[in-house]
Amino acid sequence: MNTRLRRIAVTVAAAAVLPLALSACSDNSGDSTKSDSSSKASASATTSDDSMTGSGSTASADQPFGTGCAAVPKDGAGSFDGMAQDPVATAASNNPALSTLVAAVKKAGLVDTLNNAQDITVFAPTNDAFAKIPKATLDKVLNDKAQLTKILTYHVVGQKLAPKDLENGSFDTLEKSKLTTSGSGESYTVNDSAKVVCGNVRTANANVYIIDTVLMPAG
């Protein structure tokens, strides 16, 4: 009789322990699944963050550069975003630092020519660049349409130039003669005389490099 009671007691004990064991396994399995999910979510977030960082780094390489960029309005039609929406002559007209150039372009009748051109690069002298020219000489040029057209078209290259293209370049201008560029990073010079003060400015149809000296074609 005692032996039979002991067997019953063992059976009852085993029956009581089994659900607890199964429950424990179930809980552990759930934790493991949650842990795996959390790890995957964390990894996904890290990958996403890395992708965004990489994308940001690539985008920043396409931004305008140079000390002269501080003079460009922060918003509105004359800002970098605003100029990117308009063709180059219109975009320049919204930038206060290029008002002398815009007046010269209008005098030469080149507004439509520049606005309708496709994929060009314009080296745009600032107001200070024009101020370096003696007033009598500048007035004379502004009143000589043929000479003014020659000078202004010398500032235009018939292809879009990225900063890396300027490192050691020689390009045909719309005036039909060549200009040269040199430099690296964020420091470039045109014809060994004009410095790029704000480069890689985008407009709807042109890349613009704002320079501190007016370029003069030979002859």
Side-chain angles (χ1 to χ4, degrees):
M1 188 67 179
N2 288 340
T3 300
R4 186 177 178 187
L5 287 174
R6 280 200 297 272
R7 286 178 181 172
I8 292 172
V10 169
T11 302
V12 170
V17 170
L18 184 59
L20 291 174
L22 290 174
S23 175
C25 288
S26 175
D27 288 344
N28 288 340
S29 176
D31 289 344
S32 176
T33 302
K34 288 177 183 176
S35 176
D36 287 346
S37 298
S38 298
S39 298
K40 288 176 182 176
S42 176
S44 176
T46 302
T47 302
S48 176
D49 288 345
D50 288 345
S51 297
M52 289 176 68
T53 302
S55 175
S57 298
T58 302
S60 65
D62 293 329
Q63 298 303 308
F65 62 84
T67 56
C69 292
V72 175
K74 300 299 182 188
D75 50 41
S79 66
F80 292 125
D81 288 340
M83 285 192 286
Q85 307 304 313
D86 292 320
V88 65
T90 302
S93 71
N94 293 319
N95 188 325
L98 301 176
S99 59
T100 305
L101 172 63
V102 171
V105 167
K106 289 179 178 177
K107 252 185 175 307
L110 293 172
V111 172
D112 288 342
T113 299
L114 293 177
N115 276 348
N116 293 328
Q118 295 300 312
D119 298 329
I120 59 175
T121 294
V122 176
F123 293 93
T126 62
N127 295 343
D128 289 341
F130 280 99
K132 291 180 181 180
I133 302 172
K135 187 177 185 306
T137 302
L138 181 59
D139 288 344
K140 183 179 179 180
V141 169
L142 289 174
N143 289 302
D144 183 341
K145 187 174 180 179
Q147 182 65 15
L148 182 59
T149 299
K150 182 180 177 69
I151 292 171
L152 293 176
T153 54
Y154 183 63
H155 290 73
V156 183
V157 172
Q159 65 187 94
K160 279 189 176 181
L161 301 177
K164 61 180 174 49
D165 297 322
L166 306 185
E167 292 180 359
N168 184 22
S170 176
F171 307 100
D172 291 323
T173 69
L174 296 194
E175 185 269 333
K176 305 300 184 187
S177 58
K178 290 183 180 292
L179 60 74
T180 60
T181 60
S182 60
S184 62
E186 296 187 356
S187 177
Y188 296 96
T189 303
V190 186
N191 284 357
D192 295 323
S193 60
K195 295 184 184 304
V196 173
V197 296
C198 183
N200 206 32
V201 178
R202 308 298 179 87
T203 72
N205 66 326
N207 286 351
V208 177
Y209 293 88
I210 300 175
I211 54 178
D212 68 354
T213 303
V214 177
L215 306 173
M216 293 294 182

